[in-house]
Amino acid sequence: MTSDALVTTPDLTATSTTPVHAAGAPGAEWWRHAVIYQIYPRSFADASGDGIGDLPGITARLDHLAALGVDAVWLSPFYTSPQADAGYDVADYRDVDPLFGTLADFDALLERAHGLGLRVIVDLVPNHTSDEHAWFRAAMAAGPGSAERERYMFREGAGEDGSLPPNNWTSVFGGPAWTRVEDGQWYLHLFDTRQPDLNWEHPEVRSEFEAVLRFWLDKGVDGFRIDVAHGMVKEQGLPDWDGTVAMVEGTEEAPGDHGDADAVADQDGAGASTGAGNRGPMFDQEGVHEIYRAWNRVLATYDGDRALVAEAWVEPLTRLARYVRPDEMHQAFNFSYLTTRWDAAALRRVVTASLEASDGVGAPTTWVLSNHDVVRHTSRLGLADAGSRPKGIGHDDEQPDEALGLRRGRAATLLTLGLPGSAYLYQGEELGLPEHTALDDDLRQDPAWFRSGHAERGRDGCRVPLPWAAQRPGFGFSPTGATWLPQPASWAAYAADAQDGVPGSTLETYRTALRVRRELDLGTGSLAWVDGLEGADPSQVVALVNRDVLVVTNLGDTPVRLPAGVQVLVASAAVDADGETVLVPTDVTVWARTA
Ligand code: BGC
């Protein structure tokens, strides 16, 4: 029997529940419970035929997202850019790169999205500009000591002749965080050498970004995802730091990395978290918060409930919660959840810590499993160390077990969507796409691959163009069949049209889950942990009630019996059912109605 099984009334009396989060108000402030779908424009859909996705391609496929049942889309950068970091190096914050289309194409996209009831969030990249931004060009032309250089982080070098970098910071992508220019000065770049860091102590930098916010708000966008939100302000004096500057590609010791979210749950912030990029004089400085208070005030002058979303790799969660205090941003990505291994106790701990930390400031929790910076969760969960976070996967690395990863990936997704709060999906996960783990190294474009001296495979494997049509060249990504990165042949089976209308396909499972989540208001729901399900070893099962829905994820070897009489609403794979008995198999999540 499958997920459509209908059984009768629930009986949770044999079990005990522990409430950790009370229900929110349905309908209030859309972002509190929204499911937000990340579009990575160069890889979503190509209308022009050049093999690179574009805005008209997105507009033409918005129906897919409306039918999927998400509430909003977040667009990664499409602004004018030399593409040194796939658009996260912006040369003009108020225009569209010709690769992706025009401002008129953006307006058309926004209008179509709003017509379909989809909100639109755009990406803002304020920590750094492109080296082709007019300000940086002016700074280079004007020379040392000029007002133009003040907008960036130019410094004299160390050592007798200034030939050493001003301090010992390294770039997130590898190598030194400083580049020397011809006149002898150095400039700071926490990322690529083509991404110079701005000086956020400069009033003109602050006023310019407020004007950029207004430019897009005037167009009607519903919010902003703020890139490197924890990085803009640096400690005075730029002191040396001996830690490893790491963010998106993972650290040696992120708290979730041992299936141990203790550091995540650390409430006073004094624990031994060495997690994702939250330490060091370049990250999580007190001064960033004033910037977000100012931006909150800008958004408040617009109608329609606009939102700011922090991309802040900050731990513990109580520290992250400071970004979503009532007068700052509205949401922050929950990377502590993303980095937690496939381990029941660790998952329970990180969920509890997340809800408690965000409840503490009155903000919604968010949940995320995949994005354009990490190995896709279906592939992470197919590794021997399930849920670990390699910095990309190459052909000579351990290859994930694709079937196991998909099974666990779907279970992880259903657990995620069963939690109260807001959830982020990354394009292609609704198709169950794995990482491209055998990409030819010669085709890699991620600056992390080059700057790490080829030590990190980087992020290209999660950025491969989507397969829309199994039988078409390039799987229907573009009208010519061109794709800027090659797609694995095995992706025919994952194509959207191969899954559309097929019961039990990943696409249909996502659709059902999103429909049920919306109908039953799970996003604004409550959470109580459930103990004592028959056959459930607490070290191997995650079980919770959200409103009247029982969500059970079985990470163990023994099937878990659901209470008699529950009605299965959706399952991540076929469940075993015999009469009134429903058994949840290994690596499966089930939602069942308890009332
Ligand atoms: C983005 C990355 C980007 C980096 C620099 C990150 O947070 O998500 O894709 O490389 O910021 O802008």
Side-chain angles (χ1 to χ4, degrees):
M1 193 165 68
T2 62
S3 57
D4 295 319
L6 180 69
V7 198
T8 51
T9 332
D11 179 12
L12 282 178
T13 48
T15 63
S16 64
T17 61
T18 316
V20 294
H21 174 75
E29 298 178 322
W30 66 273
W31 37 269
R32 287 186 174 271
H33 49 87
V35 177
I36 302 170
Y37 182 99
Q38 181 189 357
I39 293 180
Y40 192 66
R42 62 170 45 229
S43 302
F44 185 72
D46 172 27
S48 72
D50 65 357
I52 298 177
D54 46 39
L55 299 184
I58 295 170
T59 305
R61 294 283 186 186
L62 285 174
D63 285 347
H64 167 80
L65 301 182
L68 183 60
V70 299
D71 303 293
V73 297
W74 146 37
L75 299 170
S76 279
F78 48 79
Y79 315 109
T80 314
S81 162
Q83 306 290 318
D85 183 20
Y88 281 95
D89 49 317
V90 180
D92 183 348
Y93 290 85
R94 294 179 180 80
D95 207 350
V96 174
D97 195 279
L99 264 187
F100 300 121
T102 62
L103 278 174
D105 291 331
F106 178 80
D107 292 338
L109 186 162
L110 191 62
E111 193 181 341
R112 177 74 184 138
H114 284 165
L116 289 167
L118 296 168
R119 313 245 182 189
V120 177
I121 289 176
V122 296
D123 218 307
L124 187 72
V125 188
N127 179 68
H128 43 264
T129 68
S130 160
D131 62 344
E132 292 187 18
H133 190 283
W135 277 4
F136 193 74
R137 288 187 164 160
M140 291 295 279
S146 62
E148 286 82 352
R149 289 217 170 168
E150 284 301 307
R151 298 185 191 120
Y152 291 90
M153 305 289 285
F154 279 90
R155 294 289 184 280
E156 299 302 330
E160 274 178 22
D161 55 357
S163 63
L164 298 172
N167 69 20
N168 69 351
W169 296 2
T170 54
S171 147
V172 172
F173 293 154
W178 296 92
T179 290
R180 196 174 196 192
V181 301
E182 268 184 13
D183 53 52
Q185 280 203 314
W186 297 75
Y187 69 87
L188 176 69
H189 51 88
L190 290 183
F191 294 88
D192 191 63
T193 186
R194 302 199 58 189
Q195 293 168 295
D197 277 47
L198 285 162
N199 170 17
W200 273 87
E201 309 296 342
H202 197 300
E204 238 184 286
V205 171
R206 295 195 180 220
S207 57
E208 167 65 4
F209 275 88
E210 290 185 18
V212 170
L213 287 175
R214 287 200 179 88
F215 176 84
W216 293 100
L217 288 165
D218 287 342
K219 284 198 163 293
V221 303
D222 298 286
F224 300 88
R225 176 262 191 194
I226 308 302
D227 192 61
V228 199
H230 58 317
M232 282 124 81
V233 175
K234 280 79 179 175
E235 190 176 321
Q236 286 295 328
L238 311 182
D240 276 354
W241 187 59
D242 290 326
T244 308
V245 182
M247 194 173 72
V248 286
E249 292 79 23
T251 57
E252 296 303 311
E253 290 285 324
D257 275 5
H258 303 290
D260 174 1
D262 283 344
V264 172
D266 171 23
Q267 290 304 298
D268 62 10
S273 167
T274 54
N278 59 328
R279 292 293 185 263
M282 66 295 290
F283 287 134
D284 198 25
Q285 300 294 306
E286 194 55 33
V288 294
H289 296 287
E290 183 43 42
I291 300 171
Y292 302 131
R293 288 188 197 105
W295 291 5
N296 180 300
R297 291 192 292 271
V298 172
L299 264 66
T301 63
Y302 286 79
D303 59 6
D305 203 7
R306 328 268 178 132
L308 293 167
V309 185
E311 190 229 14
W313 290 77
V314 168
E315 287 177 328
L317 283 153
T318 45
R319 193 81 197 162
L320 181 67
R322 302 175 80 246
Y323 288 74
V324 289
R325 288 176 289 192
D327 59 347
E328 296 194 34
M329 299 214 240
H330 303 86
Q331 290 189 332
F333 292 106
N334 186 343
F335 294 125
S336 301
Y337 183 70
L338 184 152
T339 53
T340 299
R341 277 183 165 70
W342 192 235
D343 175 283
L347 286 167
R348 270 198 306 271
R349 277 199 299 271
V350 74
V351 169
T352 298
S354 304
L355 290 168
E356 287 178 353
S358 50
D359 281 357
V361 290
T365 306
T366 66
W367 311 105
V368 59
L369 291 166
S370 284
N371 66 30
H372 66 294
D373 289 327
V374 299
V375 170
R376 284 183 178 276
H377 70 276
T378 43
S379 296
R380 297 201 313 272
L381 291 168
L383 292 168
D385 186 358
S388 58
R389 195 158 51 107
K391 300 173 178 183
I393 298 178
H395 60 88
D396 51 358
D397 293 320
E398 176 199 345
Q399 295 296 296
D401 178 329
E402 196 167 317
L404 178 66
L406 179 58
R407 184 175 174 87
R408 287 180 173 162
R410 288 166 49 138
T413 296
L414 217 53
L415 170 62
T416 304
L417 293 176
L419 298 170
S422 172
Y424 277 82
L425 305 179
Y426 176 50
Q427 66 179 36
E429 68 165 270
E430 78 279 19
L431 306 177
L433 282 189
E435 185 87 354
H436 192 336
T437 57
L439 198 58
D440 189 335
D441 286 341
D442 293 340
L443 300 174
R444 294 191 184 279
Q445 302 197 13
D446 184 354
W449 165 243
F450 300 102
R451 287 192 61 87
S452 69
H454 297 178
E456 295 175 18
R457 247 39 190 253
R459 303 162 293 176
D460 294 306
C462 66
R463 300 175 173 181
V464 173
L466 293 193
W468 292 97
Q471 303 305 326
R472 302 244 316 270
F475 298 133
F477 173 71
S478 98
T480 57
T483 60
W484 70 277
L485 284 175
Q487 303 148 311
S490 61
W491 278 21
Y494 293 93
D497 71 347
Q499 301 192 43
D500 186 24
V502 177
S505 68
T506 305
L507 178 57
E508 291 300 338
T509 304
Y510 268 72
R511 284 177 177 160
T512 306
L514 289 167
R515 178 176 50 75
V516 172
R517 180 186 153 94
R518 183 185 296 234
E519 282 170 8
L520 301 184
D521 266 329
L522 298 186
T524 56
S526 55
L527 182 140
W529 295 118
V530 175
D531 296 322
L533 289 178
E534 196 181 329
D537 170 351
S539 70
Q540 303 198 316
V541 175
V542 178
L544 61 101
V545 178
N546 180 356
R547 296 196 183 274
D548 62 356
V549 175
L550 174 66
V551 177
V552 177
T553 303
N554 184 4
L555 294 83
D557 298 332
T558 321
V560 175
R561 186 183 302 273
L562 297 188
V566 297
Q567 173 197 357
V568 175
L569 300 168
V570 54
S572 64
V575 298
D576 303 321
D578 175 15
E580 291 223 335
T581 302
V582 179
L583 293 173
V584 183
T586 302
D587 291 328
V588 170
T589 297
V590 171
W591 293 1
R593 193 110 197 227
T594 64

